[in-house]
Amino acid sequence: MDSIFILLMVLIMIASILLVIIVMAQNPKGGGLSSTFGGASSAQFGVQRTNDFMEKATWTLGGTIIVLILLSVVITGKPSAAAPAQVPASKGAPAKQSSAPASATTTTAPAQTPAPTK
């Protein structure tokens, strides 16, 4: 179970790093890494297509991270150790419960008579 958890955590970290790279590479209002590395020549190759790809990649990686996190919670979720184990009910007749209040006792004490005075 631990190896599955480690694998899921590694996949989540890889997807997170890729998401950061994709978001940093996007071109918000003329800035970003695409203009830094490409300069004016990036307009010749069609930056609009790159932005569509980067937007789809952003949503895909975000969804992948969410799915991986939920999957790791479901797969590695363990019941708490403090929870008592359930004992199966016996097939015998149920125990009878008395309808008397808890303060009343079933045995009666003999009445005490006062001692004679001289």
Side-chain angles (χ1 to χ4, degrees):
M1 195 63 96
D2 290 332
S3 61
I4 294 173
F5 181 74
I6 292 171
L7 175 68
L8 288 173
M9 289 300 115
V10 168
L11 289 175
I12 290 170
M13 292 194 320
I14 290 171
S16 299
I17 291 169
L18 288 174
L19 182 63
V20 168
I21 290 171
I22 293 290
V23 168
M24 293 292 290
Q26 287 181 4
N27 188 5
K29 297 182 182 178
L33 291 178
S34 61
S35 65
T36 303
F37 293 119
S41 64
S42 65
Q44 295 173 358
F45 298 110
V47 176
Q48 185 62 34
R49 264 195 218 164
T50 307
N51 285 341
D52 288 341
F53 168 75
M54 288 192 179
E55 183 178 352
K56 288 179 183 177
T58 302
W59 284 106
T60 304
L61 284 171
T64 302
I65 290 170
I66 291 171
V67 168
L68 286 173
I69 289 172
L70 291 175
L71 189 65
S72 69
V73 168
V74 169
I75 288 177
T76 61
K78 299 176 186 174
S80 63
Q86 292 182 348
V87 178
S90 62
K91 294 183 181 180
K96 294 181 181 178
Q97 295 180 353
S98 64
S99 60
S103 63
T105 58
T106 56
T107 60
T108 57
Q112 294 181 350
T113 57
T117 57
K118 295 185 183 182

